[in-house]
Amino acid sequence: MAADIFPRKKPANSSTTTVQQYHQQNLNNNNTIPAPNWQGLYPTIRERNAVMFNNDLMADVHFVVGPPGGTQRLPGHKYVLAVGSSVFHAMFYGELAEDKDEIRIPDVEPAAFLAMLKYIYCDEIDLAADTVLATLYAAKKYIVPHLARACVNFLETSLSAKNACVLLSQSCLFEEPDLTQRCWEVIDAQAELALKSEGFCDIDFQTLESILRRETLNAKEIVVFEAALNWAEVECQRQELSLSIENKRKVLGKALYLIRIPTMALDDFANGAAQSGVLTLNETNDIFLWYTAAKKPELEFVSNARKGLVPQRCHRFQSCAYRSNQWRYRGRCDSIQFAVDKRVFIAGFGLYGSSCGSAEYSAKIELKRQGVILGQNLSKYFSDGSSNTFPVWFEYPVQIEPDTFYTASVILDGNELSYFGQEGMTEVQCGKVTVQFQCSSDSTNGTGVQGGQIPELIFYA
């Protein structure tokens, strides 16, 4: 991502290409400019300052950036740096300023420091997924707030179940409450994906505890248990401990009791946690008694089930029809497009069933964006013959970004005669989320905005 913080219309004779070429040369070479009257090539002070970026020409300070063995020597210009950062101003012009020609900065990555310098010199933000956290650290350290905000925005945009746990840990470290809240939204809604991600094993112990305590985790407890064991195995490696059951329990410590083992399905406990070796014999026996005995033993484990998230249902029809006007499936695709104004997580669809008594359906559901499948599932559901809707779920909730149209599709196999929706709405307010609907070219069975199938979107927000 590369963009001006303050976009402006450039003069017609602006030598943008030449400036960009210098930027690339400066990134690579600490390039000096031997050409006389180079200042005359650039009409704005911004462009002339940009030429100085990572350039030894007139440099009056140098930074040795990075940890031992991975340092890079970078030139700087005190006046430009002081204008861009109050920390640099204090460093070079404050009451306690030291007149050093070389400054060592071992705690900042060279690429991140260069990204910060590029912003200070060029008014440009150039972020990458593998360096954005390090750049955020540099921006925080040197109090460059607009760059820090851009880093947070980048992280929020790229946030997914795969990196949410790691970013949660970092957002707490950097004291970014908005990013922390966004991380929790993803972790809650897509808990099983987040817990199974490689990034989960990279979090610190404090973050592990906060996730295990989370009341709104939308996950089976056996998944939480297995994720904690995976974390413990990696933590043993970090602490250079052997991968024994005893050491796994040791690194988990009291966090083990935050796993709500008594709330597992009995099969999950018997075939999983009870045979993991992590629990003591007494703990295993007491939990079995907890499942079966009238007088339950006291447990150190939390025994109340997590509340999880309550799904919201967006119903797009004002009425439904049956009997005289039957809807036939015939194995064709019913499809509708929708867009939301806030980020949500689609968990499944509510579907109509048979209008001729109880029946079982096989449903293939899909969620696509610009033709790319984001989620799909093949499952069965039972219709009791009423006009109610029946939920069909994706394996994992799918993250939906605002202001972009997505396509919801379903192919049903079962009793052909079904209820169908009428008086469809193009816009529906569901809680704090506004959903817009439009017809889809994928629909080959008659479903559209005004009537048809897929009456409900089921989502977390």
Side-chain angles (χ1 to χ4, degrees):
M1 181 179 78
D4 289 340
I5 288 295
F6 307 107
R8 66 200 74 185
K9 186 175 181 180
K10 294 182 179 295
N13 62 345
S14 174
S15 48
T16 304
T17 302
T18 307
V19 172
Q20 290 174 345
Q21 289 173 348
Y22 277 131
H23 287 181
Q24 190 58 47
Q25 292 171 0
N26 290 359
L27 278 169
N28 297 334
N29 306 322
N30 287 354
N31 174 58
T32 56
I33 302 176
N37 194 31
W38 61 268
Q39 295 89 342
L41 297 174
Y42 310 106
T44 68
I45 185 64
R46 174 181 173 274
E47 290 173 307
R48 292 192 289 276
N49 270 349
V51 172
M52 294 292 96
F53 164 56
N54 198 20
N55 196 323
D56 269 312
L57 182 65
M58 294 187 289
D60 50 1
V61 67
H62 283 80
F63 301 95
V64 179
V65 185
T71 60
Q72 190 172 342
R73 193 169 187 268
L74 304 173
H77 306 78
K78 292 180 179 180
Y79 167 76
V80 178
L81 294 169
V83 169
S85 160
S86 59
V87 174
F88 283 130
H89 181 273
M91 186 184 297
F92 301 135
Y93 301 107
E95 294 181 0
L96 301 177
E98 297 183 18
D99 189 18
K100 292 183 178 180
D101 294 330
E102 188 172 275
I103 298 172
R104 295 187 176 274
I105 307 177
D107 60 330
V108 177
E109 294 293 331
F113 197 79
L114 272 171
M116 182 179 68
L117 292 185
K118 188 171 185 179
Y119 169 72
I120 291 174
Y121 279 79
C122 312
D123 262 358
E124 292 182 15
I125 295 177
D126 194 355
L127 301 175
D130 56 344
T131 59
V132 63
L133 282 172
T135 304
L136 176 58
Y137 174 78
K140 289 277 189 176
K141 177 175 181 177
Y142 291 98
I143 311 181
V144 186
H146 296 293
L147 178 59
R149 184 67 251 168
C151 291
V152 172
N153 290 340
F154 183 95
L155 291 169
E156 288 182 351
T157 302
S158 59
L159 183 61
S160 70
K162 293 181 179 179
N163 60 19
C165 294
V166 172
L167 291 184
L168 174 67
S169 177
Q170 297 297 323
S171 67
C172 295
L173 176 66
F174 292 134
E175 297 181 344
E176 288 289 344
D178 291 342
L179 180 57
T180 299
Q181 178 59 32
R182 279 287 300 114
C183 290
W184 277 125
E185 290 173 5
V186 173
I187 293 170
D188 281 342
Q190 297 181 302
E192 294 196 359
L193 283 175
L195 293 171
K196 292 177 181 179
S197 68
E198 292 184 9
F200 178 79
C201 294
D202 295 331
I203 61 177
D204 58 273
F205 183 76
Q206 185 175 356
T207 304
L208 173 72
E209 283 190 309
S210 66
I211 292 175
L212 296 182
R213 284 195 181 96
R214 190 73 173 174
E215 189 70 28
T216 45
L217 274 188
N218 203 35
K220 294 179 181 177
E221 206 63 30
I222 186 63
V223 175
V224 179
F225 178 79
E226 290 170 350
L229 289 191
N230 291 336
W231 179 90
E233 183 173 328
V234 175
E235 181 65 15
C236 285
Q237 294 172 352
R238 282 192 286 262
Q239 296 187 23
E240 299 182 350
L241 300 172
S242 63
L243 299 179
S244 65
I245 295 297
E246 292 76 14
N247 284 335
K248 289 180 183 180
R249 177 159 180 142
K250 176 183 177 182
V251 297
L252 281 172
K254 291 186 178 180
L256 177 65
Y257 298 111
L258 299 175
I259 305 171
R260 306 186 183 195
I261 294 177
T263 70
M264 289 181 186
L266 180 56
D267 286 350
D268 286 341
F269 174 70
N271 297 318
Q275 298 187 44
S276 67
V278 173
L279 305 179
T280 66
L281 188 59
N282 285 339
E283 287 170 343
T284 303
N285 183 64
D286 284 348
I287 293 172
F288 269 121
L289 288 175
W290 175 269
Y291 283 108
T292 57
K295 184 178 180 181
K296 300 184 184 300
E298 290 187 6
L299 300 175
E300 289 192 69
F301 295 93
V302 179
S303 56
N304 297 322
R306 300 179 196 272
K307 293 180 181 178
L309 293 176
V310 178
Q312 299 184 45
R313 293 179 177 240
C314 174
H315 198 92
R316 67 188 191 93
F317 295 125
Q318 298 180 70
S319 65
C320 67
Y322 65 101
R323 291 181 184 167
S324 59
N325 298 306
Q326 302 288 3
W327 191 278
R328 297 181 182 274
Y329 287 117
R330 304 185 184 91
R332 295 175 182 173
C333 179
D334 288 291
S335 184
I336 192 72
Q337 287 192 317
F338 70 93
V340 294
D341 65 341
K342 294 179 176 62
R343 184 181 286 110
V344 300
F345 301 87
I346 297 292
F349 306 146
L351 304 178
Y352 289 127
S354 170
S355 59
C356 301
S358 59
E360 185 179 65
Y361 285 93
S362 173
K364 179 184 179 182
I365 60 173
E366 281 188 348
L367 191 60
K368 295 188 291 187
R369 178 182 180 181
Q370 298 177 345
V372 178
I373 296 176
L374 304 178
Q376 61 182 352
N377 201 15
L378 179 62
S379 62
K380 295 182 182 295
Y381 71 95
F382 184 78
S383 161
D384 61 7
S386 71
S387 60
N388 295 331
T389 58
F390 304 92
V392 180
W393 308 95
F394 290 105
E395 184 178 4
Y396 302 110
V398 180
Q399 182 169 307
I400 300 297
E401 298 299 328
D403 305 322
T404 300
F405 274 94
Y406 292 78
T407 303
S409 301
V410 59
I411 298 175
L412 289 175
D413 184 18
N415 192 332
E416 283 194 348
L417 302 181
S418 167
Y419 289 93
F420 62 94
Q422 295 185 133
E423 301 179 275
M425 296 172 283
T426 57
E427 184 173 294
V428 179
Q429 187 72 31
C430 188
K432 296 182 178 180
V433 180
T434 301
V435 187
Q436 291 182 319
F437 294 97
Q438 68 180 25
C439 293
S440 168
S441 60
D442 291 352
S443 191
T444 59
N445 198 41
T447 288
V449 173
Q450 296 302 317
Q453 299 298 327
I454 317 181
E456 283 183 339
L457 301 178
I458 305 173
F459 65 93
Y460 302 114

